[in-house]
Amino acid sequence: LFLYTTLFRSRSTGGESKMRDVFGLRTALQKAGLLRKTKGTLVLTNAGKSVLSNPGFLWNHLVTRMLPKPVEPRSRDFVAEGTLLVLLTAATAHGELDLSGAARAMTLSGWRIGDQDVDPYHLWNMDIWQAEILRSAGPREQPFWIAARIAPQAVWLARASLLSMPPVPLIGRR
């Protein structure tokens, strides 16, 4: 986080949009509440500053923010459902983050993108910033652009996030 803000603090973001990994990570850090833009400059939020002095704060901060915002009972939200499936896939991963099963589950539950089935690409690129955080977490044995690899730290983060989820009340049966 510090390295990211140091590298890009005084630079325009004009070239950043051409680097998908950098753009995706910055967007995810903003949505996680660690970075913000002020007058065209990226700065750390108060939470981002806390991470610099207390690395354990990053873990707690992310665990509390990785779950999607609750939606009304009986309503559906692509990003919320996709996020939960991405977290579940990551929490049960063994070195690979294969989102094809999550994409298939989305399709089978009735979701479509245009007239096509949901594809793993959609889960990486449909405003599910948590996927980018998981992809970026921990040391990497493989190059960064191999998105299917997932570090053990990302698996632990996904598990901790899911375990922090409050129980869902049962909706009346018919």
Side-chain angles (χ1 to χ4, degrees), residues 13-155:
T13 58
E16 178 189 278
S17 63
K18 297 175 186 157
M19 297 182 286
R20 184 210 160 305
D21 292 331
V22 173
F23 178 75
L25 182 57
R26 191 236 335 136
T27 302
L29 291 172
Q30 282 182 287
K31 290 185 179 195
L34 297 168
L35 285 177
R36 64 183 165 84
K37 270 191 178 180
T38 302
K39 298 178 184 175
T41 302
L42 286 174
V43 295
L44 293 169
T45 62
N46 287 338
K49 291 174 188 171
S50 295
V51 168
L52 297 177
S53 61
N54 180 2
F57 180 84
L58 177 61
W59 179 265
N60 294 332
H61 182 81
L62 289 175
V63 164
T64 62
R65 286 178 173 68
M66 293 291 278
L67 291 174
K69 301 234 183 294
V71 295
E72 291 296 317
R74 299 182 192 225
S75 67
R76 299 197 63 203
D77 180 273
F78 180 90
V79 172
E81 290 180 32
T83 299
L84 288 174
L85 282 169
V86 166
L87 288 171
L88 182 60
T89 302
T92 58
H94 297 285
E96 299 268 335
L97 184 57
D98 181 4
L99 295 180
S100 59
R104 183 79 179 131
M106 293 288 286
T107 299
L108 290 174
S109 70
W111 288 105
R112 298 187 64 71
I113 304 296
D115 61 347
Q116 299 178 337
D117 291 350
V118 177
D119 184 89
Y121 171 83
H122 298 123
L123 297 176
W124 283 115
N125 296 292
M126 294 291 285
D127 204 29
I128 300 177
W129 59 268
Q130 294 86 340
E132 192 67 43
I133 295 288
L134 293 170
R135 189 171 87 97
S136 305
R140 301 194 57 87
E141 295 175 12
Q142 298 290 325
F144 190 68
W145 57 85
I146 300 178
R149 301 299 301 161
I150 184 169
Q153 293 85 344
V155 173

